Amino acid sequence: MHILLTGGSGYIGNIMARHFLNEGFSVVVLDRLFFGVEPVKELLGEKNYTLIHDDVRWFDPSILSNVDVVVDMAAIANDPAGELNPEFTMDINYRGRVRVANLAKKHGVKHYIYFSTCSVYGFQEGVVNENSPLNPLTTYAKAAALGEKEILPLASKDFVATIVRPATNYGYSPRLRLDLVINTMTFTLFTEGKVKVFGGDQYRPLIHVKDVARAIETIMDAEPGKVNGQIFNLGSDEQNYRIIDLAKEVCRALGKDLKECIELKPQDADSRSYRVSFAKIRSVLGFRPRYGVEDGVREVWEALEEGRVRPSNKNWTVKRYKELLERYPEILAKPLNVVLP
């Protein structure tokens, strides 16, 4: 099977590429490499791995000719980064990926999987599911919701289209993000000896990055009738956490005293709070996560302890995009063929 991963050198894409290579698939990664080539450097010599340095907004559609499945993850990834330049975010996250979906259908791709986000739920009372009304509060979430609206109708008997809304990710990846809640808490505890909790009553659904790759394989392997034209939340009901309870889990995973470990702060400007039902993917496809919070915390802690992570702007999405937009403003509108340092 030939799989194209857009955004495949990113935090999730790195793990997904490795997962599918281990399963014996042929993997093509299309990525603009905003975070450099280092995270995928060790994969470049792999027999079934191909890296295409390009952008979803203008790549040559011929690369889709022999592809069986497209997993479309390319995005300015996270809510704060999406606000740095909202038009840039819309151009890539919405228009760029709608382009990918339409070209995939035109070129005979059998299955297209669109990465949306649980952020499309915004602020909600109670537990939301795939049929709940959306309440996107940020450009990142609005772009994802617009993409869903245009892409789902492309589904047909010859073109299986599936939308996934992953919970907030955590765990180690060669392109490690330290701006995701569990990874952030672990990093702050490692560097400052405290987990800082802003507010604490907000809810977040969570999923380990390795479980995202497993969920996508489950969707790919399913009978087309079960996944075509469908939306699936990716996660598990057991991993809906209040931020304060999550902080306690992080401290417990590392054997820290809760009173000494947690520092409470006034709630910041992030108003998102949502609990998500993951019953559909469990009942329809039998998917259950294999990893929990403790696994992710230990992975990130050990990577920091062993020096496999040398924190830089590349570990914080907002910092990296600010740097790029200041140094390379041309990335907004035209190809930039150099690999960014």
Side-chain angles (χ1 to χ4, degrees), residues 244-261:
I244 185 62
D245 296 326
L246 183 57
K248 293 174 182 177
E249 288 294 314
V250 171
C251 294
R252 289 191 189 104
L254 296 167
K256 306 293 184 180
D257 180 84
L258 295 186
K259 291 182 180 177
E260 298 294 324
C261 185

Side-chain angles (χ1 to χ4, degrees), residues 69-89:
V69 180
V70 170
V71 183
D72 199 1
M73 298 175 285
I76 304 299
N78 82 2
D79 296 273
E83 302 305 331
L84 291 175
N85 189 309
E87 182 58 26
F88 183 41
T89 302

Side-chain angles (χ1 to χ4, degrees), residues 67-122:
V67 169
D68 300 299
V69 180
V70 170
V71 183
D72 199 1
M73 298 175 285
I76 304 299
N78 82 2
D79 296 273
E83 302 305 331
L84 291 175
N85 189 309
E87 182 58 26
F88 183 41
T89 302
M90 282 289 180
D91 206 26
I92 292 177
N93 296 21
Y94 166 46
R95 289 182 284 272
R97 294 206 286 163
V98 168
R99 176 177 185 260
V100 174
N102 279 283
L103 288 172
K105 184 170 184 174
K106 180 179 178 181
H107 284 261
V109 172
K110 298 179 181 71
H111 195 172
Y112 170 90
I113 301 171
Y114 174 80
F115 260 66
S116 184
T117 168
C118 277
S119 286
V120 295
Y121 296 119

Side-chain angles (χ1 to χ4, degrees), residues 118 127-128 130 165-170 203-208 211-212 214-215 232-241 274-283 286-293:
C118 277
V127 179
V128 294
E130 290 85 351
R165 295 172 181 163
T168 299
N169 287 193
Y170 63 89
Y203 276 91
R204 289 289 186 281
L206 301 162
I207 185 170
H208 194 288
D211 278 324
V212 176
R214 291 181 54 248
F232 293 95
N233 294 327
L234 299 191
S236 66
D237 292 345
E238 298 79 13
Q239 292 191 48
N240 277 300
Y241 280 92
Y274 43 88
R275 284 170 286 171
V276 178
S277 169
F278 300 97
K280 181 177 179 179
I281 195 167
R282 184 167 181 166
S283 62
F287 174 77
R288 291 174 173 82
R290 187 175 290 168
Y291 303 93
V293 171

Side-chain angles (χ1 to χ4, degrees), residues 5-246:
L5 307 178
T6 75
S9 76
Y11 176 69
I12 300 172
N14 247 291
I15 297 298
M16 199 171 294
R18 286 168 167 80
H19 177 86
F20 286 129
L21 286 170
N22 289 338
E23 295 295 314
F25 298 153
S26 173
V27 176
V28 177
V29 164
L30 172 70
D31 201 292
R32 190 68 183 279
L33 301 178
F34 285 146
F35 292 82
V37 75
E38 196 65 34
V40 296
K41 209 167 185 179
E42 67 183 59
L43 295 177
L44 295 178
E46 292 279 343
K47 179 182 176 183
N48 292 321
Y49 181 85
T50 302
L51 175 64
I52 297 174
H53 180 207
D54 215 330
D55 192 302
V56 292
R57 295 173 290 173
W58 47 64
F59 71 92
D60 183 343
S62 65
I63 69 170
L64 292 161
S65 297
N66 297 312
V67 169
D68 300 299
V69 180
V70 170
V71 183
D72 199 1
M73 298 175 285
I76 304 299
N78 82 2
D79 296 273
E83 302 305 331
L84 291 175
N85 189 309
E87 182 58 26
F88 183 41
T89 302
M90 282 289 180
D91 206 26
I92 292 177
N93 296 21
Y94 166 46
R95 289 182 284 272
R97 294 206 286 163
V98 168
R99 176 177 185 260
V100 174
N102 279 283
L103 288 172
K105 184 170 184 174
K106 180 179 178 181
H107 284 261
V109 172
K110 298 179 181 71
H111 195 172
Y112 170 90
I113 301 171
Y114 174 80
F115 260 66
S116 184
T117 168
C118 277
S119 286
V120 295
Y121 296 119
F123 182 91
Q124 303 268 3
E125 299 288 351
V127 179
V128 294
N129 61 33
E130 290 85 351
N131 296 319
S132 298
L134 304 186
N135 182 29
L137 299 176
T138 64
T139 302
Y140 172 71
K142 290 172 184 175
L146 286 169
E148 288 189 16
K149 188 176 180 180
E150 287 202 33
I151 288 167
L152 207 58
L154 296 176
S156 67
K157 64 182 180 66
D158 299 316
F159 185 68
V160 178
T162 309
I163 287 172
V164 295
R165 295 172 181 163
T168 299
N169 287 193
Y170 63 89
Y172 178 76
S173 165
R175 211 299 267 173
L176 184 61
R177 285 183 59 184
L178 293 173
D179 54 3
L180 297 166
V181 62
I182 290 178
N183 298 356
T184 299
M185 288 181 173
T186 306
F187 177 74
T188 306
L189 183 56
F190 182 84
T191 55
E192 301 180 31
K194 296 274 187 182
V195 172
K196 296 180 180 180
V197 176
F198 295 87
D201 289 330
Q202 317 96 300
Y203 276 91
R204 289 289 186 281
L206 301 162
I207 185 170
H208 194 288
V209 66
K210 290 180 182 176
D211 278 324
V212 176
R214 291 181 54 248
I216 295 304
E217 185 176 11
T218 299
I219 289 168
M220 286 167 46
D221 289 344
E223 297 174 15
K226 290 185 175 181
V227 298
N228 196 14
Q230 295 297 313
I231 300 172
F232 293 95
N233 294 327
L234 299 191
S236 66
D237 292 345
E238 298 79 13
Q239 292 191 48
N240 277 300
Y241 280 92
R242 283 195 316 154
I243 296 296
I244 185 62
D245 296 326
L246 183 57

